[in-house]
Amino acid sequence: MAYGIKLMIWGERACFTRPEMKVERVSYDVITPSAARGILEAIHWKPAIRWVIDGIQVLKPIRFESIRRNEVGSKISARNVSSAMKAGSTEGLVNYVDQDRQQRAATILRDVAYVIEAHFELTGKAGEGETEGKHLDIFNRRARKGQYFHAPCLGVREFPADFRLVEPDEPEPDSDISLSGERDLGWMLHDFNFSSDCEPHYFRACMRDGLIEVPRSFSEEVKA
Amino acid sequence: MSAIANRYEFVYLFDVTNGNPNGDPDAGNLPRLDPETNQGLVTDVCLKRKIRNYVNLEKEDESGYGIYMQEKSVLNNQHKKAYEALEVEPVSKKLPKEEAKARELTRWMCKNFFDVRAFGAVMTTEVNAGQVRGPIQMAFATSIDPVLPMEVSITRMAVTNERDLEKERTMGRKHIVPYGLYRAHGYISAKLAERTGFSEEDLELLWRSLVNMFEHDRSAARGEMAARKLIVFKHEHPMGNAPAHKLFDTVQVERVEGADDTPARGFCDYRVTVDAESVPQGVSVEEKL
């Protein structure tokens, strides 16, 4: 783990939607490895590297809140776009939100903070002269300066994530006292396998004194 | 139109007087409240709706500024001009056909619709390129102080149904916030703008819409809403020069002295200060309002 990093992230609200309750969204208790990877990729990512989440340290008590919003019911259909393109007119290519409306509640997390422990691996796509050190430097530099490719978010884009790099010689931030002991968080989304049609993988998340150890993808503990 | 080359963050302050800035469908249209702090809330989608409506009003007939997600009430542009003839840039032949097709569709959508270019949109295609992530990201707006919504009963000197005729009048209810100053944070990614073609002109239009959107959103429910401050942080570097939260921290909103234990009833009860000194190098602050 020579190329490990620790990133502290926090925000007012978060929603890491459970796939089984995604219509009226209900968040997982904690950030998923998949969402954590998304945050790292928002700061630095190249096809040459792959982020691997090793652990998630939960810093604040787990609290929920509910919010209901008016949302639209449908997506843009590709067929309509292509016929509008042929006709050369945007006429009729609209979605009337007040006719296609769904009110959906979301059960979201409040006031969250985590430390993501991760490292990256080089993929086959690394070009000549691309070294692990270079990518690590880029990531650390960006995280220190608060730079990002796009603003990282806590599950959904309306809940932005603030972040800072936890320096290697810095003392570990402490978890809240209420998180001490062992807690079984049940089966949780690990990540998607993008090479086989976005197949979701799950793992049994267990939090010990705030720390969730994340198994490697394709390991014994991770089930498709 | 080339895409913007800088990252931006912005702090947007707006207030409401005797109105309901954003009703909660879960609570019988009461103004949204943060249940833990009693601060008022306005969702990101509520503000984005108003930006769309403003752009639709300003750019009614102009090509390239269509609004995909429309509200019926603003749809009076029946005579939309035919826009520039199909000008799809040639696509690389190397791409697999399906993906190329999807890219072509999204590019076309970005080019013609402001809201797709700014906020993104999801299209139903199997290929990932059918999803557009826009450069603009907004968070929930929260009020500076807790707000205390009031229920106002009103009467109407008429009835809807004939059988209620003897009642002569019906009663209704309005929920209002006597006063609330709300603060919203926004993020604009230069790199995502590159992908959707969100340009400098689009950015100017966005600032204009934030400054003016409440002027065109008057209604019985809203009361008096007004944009009060728009503080923009411009990074020199497309990736940014400073963490967003540090920039947001430089904008302080306080009650003016002596008013601490009385309820705020106007913008004059607040003082907004921008600590320009502590803004890190490479970031410039601009007050658009």
Side-chain angles (χ1 to χ4, degrees):
Chain A
M1 282 248 320
Y3 297 104
I5 58 103
K6 279 184 189 166
L7 189 76
M8 181 160 153
I9 54 165
W10 67 96
E12 276 281 293
R13 298 177 180 81
C15 181
F16 310 107
T17 311
R18 288 176 183 268
E20 68 273 28
M21 290 181 269
K22 63 180 180 185
V23 177
E24 299 231 84
R25 297 180 203 90
V26 177
S27 175
Y28 279 115
D29 287 6
V30 298
I31 189 171
T32 59
S34 160
R37 174 181 57 81
I39 287 178
L40 300 180
E41 286 176 356
I43 297 169
H44 174 65
W45 178 78
K46 278 273 165 69
I49 63 169
R50 179 194 305 123
W51 283 104
V52 179
I53 309 295
D54 301 310
I56 289 159
Q57 178 92 36
V58 185
L59 303 180
K60 292 201 173 167
I62 295 162
R63 290 185 302 159
F64 289 94
E65 178 182 300
S66 161
I67 188 149
R68 187 178 291 271
R69 282 174 289 182
N70 291 325
E71 301 181 13
V72 291
S74 55
K75 295 187 266 185
I76 307 171
S77 104
R79 189 186 300 161
N80 287 353
V81 178
S82 85
S83 57
M85 266 174 84
K86 279 207 194 85
S89 158
T90 51
E91 195 94 29
L93 187 66
V94 285
N95 184 339
Y96 297 114
V97 287
D98 33 12
Q99 286 166 27
D100 183 16
R101 174 168 284 179
Q102 296 179 345
Q103 283 193 344
R104 294 196 195 174
T107 305
I108 59 169
L109 292 168
R110 270 312 295 273
D111 194 21
V112 300
Y114 306 101
V115 174
I116 303 170
E117 294 170 27
H119 68 276
F120 63 83
E121 290 165 353
L122 291 182
T123 62
K125 289 183 182 144
E128 241 171 90
E130 284 203 53
T131 61
E132 288 168 318
K134 180 189 121 184
H135 287 291
L136 185 75
D137 282 350
I138 297 176
F139 181 88
N140 284 341
R141 197 165 59 231
R142 284 193 185 166
R144 264 185 212 118
K145 280 199 200 160
Q147 297 186 316
Y148 56 68
F149 184 88
H150 61 86
C153 65
L154 296 160
V156 287
R157 289 191 77 193
E158 56 267 41
F159 306 141
D162 290 323
F163 62 91
R164 74 174 180 85
L165 190 71
V166 179
E167 302 290 345
D169 49 358
E170 199 180 312
E172 189 88 7
D174 284 328
S175 289
D176 188 81
I177 193 83
S178 66
L179 299 171
S180 55
E182 192 171 307
R183 202 185 303 191
D184 184 359
L185 299 175
W187 285 96
M188 190 161 113
L189 177 74
H190 184 278
D191 211 330
F192 296 96
N193 180 1
F194 293 100
S195 57
S196 112
D197 202 21
C198 290
E199 183 186 53
H201 287 239
Y202 297 87
F203 76 113
R204 187 97 200 187
C206 188
M207 182 164 67
R208 285 182 198 87
D209 294 334
L211 182 71
I212 301 162
E213 278 180 45
V214 180
R216 291 294 311 260
S217 14
F218 307 113
S219 64
E220 256 314 276
E221 299 89 22
V222 179
K223 312 277 190 244
Chain B
M1 284 200 296
S2 59
I4 54 168
N6 302 83
R7 185 181 119 181
Y8 295 87
E9 264 100 28
F10 60 90
V11 176
Y12 181 54
L13 293 169
F14 59 94
D15 66 355
V16 58
T17 312
N18 293 331
N20 184 355
N22 187 198
D24 188 347
D26 246 355
N29 208 35
L30 224 77
R32 286 185 193 276
L33 283 183
D34 180 327
E36 288 180 346
T37 62
N38 273 344
Q39 282 165 305
L41 281 183
V42 173
T43 58
D44 60 314
V45 283
C46 172
L47 297 173
K48 286 188 199 165
R49 172 81 266 150
K50 293 188 204 315
I51 295 174
R52 286 184 164 106
N53 289 354
Y54 177 83
V55 171
N56 202 8
L57 282 176
E58 193 192 303
K59 298 283 184 183
E60 210 172 340
D61 280 346
E62 226 165 296
S63 69
Y65 290 95
I67 294 293
Y68 181 75
M69 291 289 172
Q70 287 203 349
E71 220 172 23
K72 202 85 205 268
S73 54
V74 288
L75 185 79
N76 48 8
N77 43 358
Q78 296 298 345
H79 37 253
K80 209 181 242 169
K81 271 185 201 158
Y83 61 95
E84 55 200 299
L86 192 59
E87 256 183 63
V88 181
E89 295 99 72
V91 216
S92 158
K93 289 276 181 290
K94 277 179 200 153
L95 288 167
K97 209 169 162 236
E98 269 298 298
E99 201 179 329
K101 181 82 189 151
R103 291 235 176 118
E104 206 178 317
L105 292 180
T106 46
R107 194 172 316 141
W108 188 83
M109 288 300 284
C110 284
K111 194 167 168 182
N112 285 292
F113 290 95
F114 177 83
D115 57 341
V116 176
R117 203 155 64 225
F119 306 129
V122 179
M123 286 205 285
T124 39
T125 45
E126 275 71 53
V127 189
N128 247 351
Q131 222 179 67
V132 187
R133 205 160 27 163
I136 301 171
Q137 182 173 338
M138 287 179 84
F140 282 11
T142 48
S143 66
I144 306 298
D145 289 313
V147 293
L148 191 65
M150 263 172 27
E151 192 177 318
V152 184
S153 289
I154 48 174
T155 55
R156 180 175 64 162
M157 297 316 227
V159 291
T160 318
N161 292 317
E162 214 161 328
R163 61 171 184 276
D164 298 328
L165 208 57
E166 64 230 41
K167 279 198 213 153
E168 285 179 346
R169 72 186 92 177
T170 38
M171 306 259 316
R173 237 177 249 134
K174 280 177 94 161
H175 297 286
I176 60 164
V177 172
Y179 183 78
L181 179 64
Y182 290 73
R183 174 178 179 149
H185 290 170
Y187 307 75
I188 304 174
S189 153
K191 287 291 169 184
L192 291 183
E194 227 169 69
R195 298 183 172 190
T196 68
F198 185 83
S199 66
E200 291 288 345
E201 292 91 82
D202 290 334
L203 186 70
E204 285 308 314
L205 179 58
L206 174 77
W207 301 143
R208 264 203 311 284
S209 68
L210 286 169
V211 170
N212 294 314
M213 66 191 189
F214 293 117
E215 310 294 336
H216 302 278
D217 188 57
R218 306 270 177 226
S219 78
R222 298 275 174 255
E224 289 167 52
M225 295 190 72
R228 290 297 185 173
K229 285 266 177 217
L230 176 59
I231 297 148
V232 176
F233 298 99
K234 179 180 184 178
H235 299 252
E236 266 170 27
H237 197 280
M239 291 297 195
N241 294 66
H245 63 271
K246 290 210 172 138
L247 299 178
F248 292 141
D249 285 348
T250 63
V251 179
Q252 293 289 336
V253 184
E254 295 158 312
R255 289 295 300 276
V256 291
E257 273 145 79
D260 260 346
D261 45 2
T262 56
R265 284 293 180 267
F267 186 60
C268 55
D269 290 334
Y270 287 99
R271 181 177 31 219
V272 182
T273 47
V274 186
D275 184 7
E277 299 274 291
S278 60
V279 170
Q281 269 214 324
V283 181
S284 54
V285 196
E286 211 178 312
E287 287 194 41
K288 300 273 182 194
L289 179 69

